[in-house]
Amino acid sequence: MTTTAYRVTNPATGEVAEEFATATDSEILAALDRSATTFTEWSRTTVAERAKVLARVAEIYSERAEELAEVIRLEMGKAVPEGKGEVGLCSLIYKYFADNAESFMADEPLRGPKDATAMIRRKPVGSLLGIMPWNFPYYQVARFAAPNLALGNTILLKHAPQCPRSAQIMEEIFIEAGLPEGAYINIYASNEQVADLILPDPRNHGVSLTGSERAGAAVAAEAGKNLKKVVLELGGSDPYILLDSADVKESAKTFFDTRMGNTGQACNSPKRMIVMDDLYDDFVSSITEEAKKRTPATPGEDGARLSPLSSVAAADRFIEQVQDTVSQGATLLAGGKKYDGGGAYVEPVVLTGVEKGMRGYYEELFGPAVIVYKVGTEEEAVELANDTPFGLGAAVFSGDIERAERVGSQIDSGMVFLNAPEGTREFLPFGGVKRSGVGRELGPLAMDEFVNKQLVYKQD
């Protein structure tokens, strides 16, 4: 096979299963032209017509759940039950925007003098570029594509190089559902083509990226240079504050299960556990016990307890971060190395004693790592929770809901969950502040990003 950037590599074994050719410059320019041309057609359809297509997309995801889950098992190591859960969430997202598009796009009247009428009318803006990551191959696309196709925008989608098969399948699903060819185009583009061809082109009207801080900063710089709107969903180091608990062992299990979702590879995964000092010792003991229970298994096997990270390179970087943090003085209570036998399996990690100046204090650990901190007061908990360059989500647990609300209201984040593990629902706006990005996806706010909020003013 010819070496290419777009390839399916099984992270459980390291074996390359399939390769795809990167697009040529002429193919990228042709895709831009088709997307812009189709926008004229797609934007003139009724909202009801667009909603009908999205409703059918939702049905297809449900019908093909097993197949779609198997594809991402091979691409990035997600266990089939988790993969089917991701596909199910996508179905809910497409249905949500199908059901609500008309109300979200309804004209919004403005108060004014009696002899005039003013309103805000929402209109699509044009062809958009989506740049998506590997950790949730279908879901990340759905939360960008669903609201923007409902608006009448068209999409060029550059997926992660390790997810080319799922990327291709998503385009096929849209066409099967009745979307005009050209309204959603999968492109195997290089980073250079994004910067040199797509973003400077006047046929492109904006870009949404979910990924790393570094990628977000690079894309935002290019978009800004070309006066393009951006939505950025970047990293997170979310705090999970335990103020009190009637059952510390159960609280530890709830946190650990939440943290281990997608093998810890989620931007909104709770990565810093902040525990009051009277609960700390029992909590650390329980969380360490949970970590040591997890053993590797091939994704998709019945009873699989631990999936590999997305790639061997990701596993190596994760282990390096952990080892550097330990070498700087942190205490390692569990994990810290890769499992024997090859592939990208790593042991779940529990760290304590992580302080400022250590690598793990401010860096996002994108894998199965738990960092536990001890605090003595609510004020200390809030100060520690906010001492991060990120501001995506947060969770606060207490038997006293007023106490949870008091603490939660002081956290600088785009999302806060009270007495509930952090999660994603189709109707909940998703996004952060600080270095976690700009803009919102999902819920009603998703259709307020790439839209022309046109003022219509009529004088009687």
Side-chain angles (χ1 to χ4, degrees), residues 29-178:
L29 293 173
L32 265 167
D33 190 60
R34 279 197 296 138
S35 185
T37 300
T38 307
F39 171 73
T40 302
E41 171 194 350
W42 180 242
S43 63
R44 290 175 180 171
T45 58
T46 66
V47 182
E49 289 173 310
R50 301 196 288 267
K52 183 178 179 181
V53 172
L54 294 181
R56 179 58 188 140
V57 171
E59 292 173 350
I60 296 172
Y61 271 81
S62 294
E63 293 163 2
R64 298 175 64 177
E66 191 82 36
E67 170 203 350
L68 296 176
E70 178 61 26
V71 170
I72 60 175
R73 177 199 69 78
L74 188 60
E75 285 184 330
M76 49 74 64
K78 186 167 297 192
V80 168
E82 285 196 16
K84 290 170 70 174
E86 179 180 337
V87 173
L89 176 58
C90 291
S91 183
L92 291 174
I93 291 170
Y94 287 113
K95 187 175 187 306
Y96 174 81
F97 287 102
D99 291 345
N100 292 284
E102 287 193 286
S103 62
F104 290 161
M105 290 193 69
D107 291 344
E108 180 184 339
L110 301 175
R111 288 186 178 182
K114 293 181 179 179
D115 63 343
T117 302
M119 68 183 69
I120 299 297
R121 178 164 292 158
R122 287 168 168 79
K123 301 176 68 174
V125 295
S127 174
L128 307 173
L129 172 65
I131 302 174
M132 297 296 134
W134 47 262
N135 56 334
F136 292 92
Y138 303 118
Y139 156 69
Q140 303 283 8
V141 172
R143 71 186 198 186
F144 166 63
N148 283 298
L149 290 173
L151 279 165
N153 294 319
T154 55
I155 290 172
L156 297 178
L157 201 291
K158 179 200 179 301
H159 217 314
Q162 70 195 81
C163 297
R165 171 56 62 197
S166 57
Q168 184 181 71
I169 289 173
M170 280 183 279
E171 180 180 21
E172 294 169 356
I173 288 174
F174 280 119
I175 294 171
E176 180 185 342

Side-chain angles (χ1 to χ4, degrees), residues 2 5 25 31 45 62 66 82 91 108 123 132 137 144 149 199 213 238 250 277 310-311 351 398 425 427 453:
T2 303
D25 288 357
T45 58
S62 294
E66 191 82 36
E82 285 196 16
S91 183
E108 180 184 339
K123 301 176 68 174
M132 297 296 134
F144 166 63
L149 290 173
L199 292 181
E213 292 176 81
D238 292 7
E250 186 61 29
D277 52 9
S310 62
S311 67
L351 289 169
S398 173
R425 298 289 299 275
F427 57 88
K453 296 177 185 177

